[in-house]
Amino acid sequence: MRSGLIRGGEAQRGHEAGGGEGLWRRAGKRHGDLTRRPAPPAQRISASPPRTQRTADRPPRQRTWVSSRIKRRSRALFETVVLDPGAGGPITRRALLGGGAAWTLAAALEGAPAALARAAGGHFTVALDGVRFARDARGRLVSEPVRAPHAFSVVGLRWRVAPPGHAELHVRRRGGAWSEWAAAGGAHAPDGAAAPAGGEPVWVGRADELQVRVSDRAEGLVAACVTAAADGPVGAAAAALAFLPAFYAGQPAIVGREVWALGRCLPSVAPALGTVEFACVHHTETPNGYGAAQVPAALRAIFRYHRFFNGWHDIGYNFVVDRFGRIFEARAGGIDEPIVGAHAGGFNAASTGVALLGSYGPRGPSAAAQRALTRLLAWKLPLHGAPVTGRVQTVSDGGPYTRYGRGRRVMVHRVAGHRDVDSTSCPGAAAYRGLPRLRAAAAARAPAALSLALDGPPERVVFAAPQTVAGRLLDAAGAGVAAAEIAVEARIGLRTERLATATTGADGSWSAFIALKASALVRARFAGAGRRTGALSAYHAVSVLPAVTVSADRTIVPAGEAVVLSATTQPPARRMTIVVERVELDGTVTVVARVHLRARAGRASQAVTLAEPGSYVAVAEVPGSVSPGVTIQVPAAAVPA
């Protein structure tokens, strides 16, 4: 069905490319000039996530954090890369005008990333309740073109009650050609979250008009829009500085989060740690014609959509791979950590999420993206002791986005598609068909996974008290790996400190002494060597109790005289309590003095008068810890002869 819309001598297909404007021009003859109606007013939304989502994605009892490392703005951006064909063949003017992505039009026809939005990052909504819809030849509801009050770079659909069935949208610059239709449903979410009230964000480069196509009307339908600032091009040498240092053997080149976040995309809470039993492959369901210099802005816009529209604490994915074969660190917390994402509802705590930036339904990812994804999975899964082939049994946390109820045991591939665990078509038909080849390629590249065990320390230790930790490093056959250097590390907030190093013996065993001065998560790490991959142990949560001491200036005191009691604490406490108890011959204990003191540099003292003869014990207390006691004797007065 032709729309009759002509651009530069090229006709667009009304409902598959140019999409629906011809339908509304014809409908306008019956209902008036609907295409000229002003757009509904924009509605600002709060930057605070909804309470229900905030609870779902937040690790329990975590404080909001702002990393000084993330605050430092990276000035290393990306060089301008000429638009290449990628997996879709040569890009022609016909392909661009016949339904190419809006960002393709911006970058290729107008020639520069400078054509992208320059406004400061922001977000707004456009209500679609008052917009007219008409049915096309297939019975789908197609909206009239809607003009947004501001230019936007990301758009997604939100609804109040039920989703609008199958939903799509496309965009254009005012008076320009329409982009291809992009799917706008199938949201993922944090484990335990309520049903998502919106679809996935669609990156469009820059646009100010949109059109929606749905199978059913939805109450409270709105277009959620994000405006992102553009990055300027820089030289290739500067871009090379953006990659993170390689701390592990076989680690692929990964662009650090700071490069795209620029200190502005801060998570709302500290990241939660889970496990990595399998990898979940996604696509972002965004058009594929983007330029290399646009990717950082695209990630910032997706972050903003996830953070402020979905109410999550950070971008949902752990990694993003673009069509140029670059791997980006996405969710904050560390590329080698088992960070819990918000990408596969019900299975986030047991997986790592990797998103291909683009839409891969009819056509698969570019060869460069496939190679990068292969390198990433061949490193990430073995690092956590997981092979890249075969299946693993995992347990669903349930939720409205997965067909597996809470507590159900599910067998999934070690490299799975999003549709394997949730109710979605992600990562697209073509990308999903390519997963067997991806698994085989990753298996050919990946070294055999190692197993690194850590025994101890205890769950509670005293400040700076030496503790022994030990473990073993084993290969896939269960044999010990000898002469391997093991680092024992403590994760304190967002900071990781090395506590000790050890070398494995012939049987793979090792031991070391550590001393903790703050509560931490303790793990062992093998960085890999030669063809051996790195390995990480599970974390052990260790609480550090203050080290408290008490002393007396004398231990034998005449009745009625005072004894000076001195207390210390490490780390220094502002307040402490000295308690003096009298111990009777039958074992009865009576508190005779309780003195609350203000400490200076972790030290305090107090004179206590002991009036009655007997045996006394003095202790010092701070919250969570009590010192060993000091015994004081008050002898009875001698009876005159």
Side-chain angles (χ1 to χ4, degrees), residues 552-565 578-583 590-595 606-618 630-636:
D553 64 340
R554 47 184 174 164
T555 57
I556 300 177
V557 182
E561 294 190 12
V563 59
V564 177
L565 300 173
I578 292 179
V579 180
V580 180
E581 301 171 331
R582 179 174 175 172
V583 182
T590 304
V591 175
V592 297
R594 182 183 296 273
V595 185
Q606 178 68 38
V608 178
T609 300
L610 303 177
E612 300 290 335
S615 180
Y616 296 83
V617 175
V630 58
T631 301
I632 305 166
Q633 298 293 336
V634 178

Side-chain angles (χ1 to χ4, degrees), residues 142-218:
V142 182
S143 78
E144 59 182 308
V146 177
R147 181 174 299 171
H150 310 289
F152 54 87
S153 59
V154 159
V155 59
L157 295 181
R158 316 286 298 176
W159 46 84
R160 186 178 303 121
V161 184
H166 182 72
E168 298 172 297
L169 57 82
H170 66 178
V171 301
R172 69 178 180 183
R173 290 191 179 190
R174 187 174 306 175
W178 288 102
S179 70
E180 292 180 341
W181 287 101
H188 45 79
D191 293 344
E200 287 301 293
V202 178
W203 165 262
V204 297
R206 180 182 176 90
D208 48 27
E209 292 184 349
L210 64 105
Q211 199 170 20
V212 175
R213 186 167 68 186
V214 296
S215 57
D216 301 295
R217 290 297 296 265

Side-chain angles (χ1 to χ4, degrees), residues 118-146:
R118 290 186 176 85
H123 52 279
F124 59 92
T125 61
V126 178
L128 301 177
D129 273 345
V131 173
R132 295 180 182 270
F133 285 75
R135 291 200 179 272
D136 65 7
R138 297 186 182 181
R140 298 170 295 190
L141 291 167
V142 182
S143 78
E144 59 182 308
V146 177

Side-chain angles (χ1 to χ4, degrees), residues 242-262:
F243 293 107
L244 295 172
F247 291 112
Y248 295 89
Q251 176 184 323
I254 299 175
V255 180
R257 176 187 169 96
E258 294 87 344
V259 171
W260 64 264
L262 298 179

Side-chain angles (χ1 to χ4, degrees), residues 231-243:
D231 289 332
V234 297
L241 300 177
F243 293 107

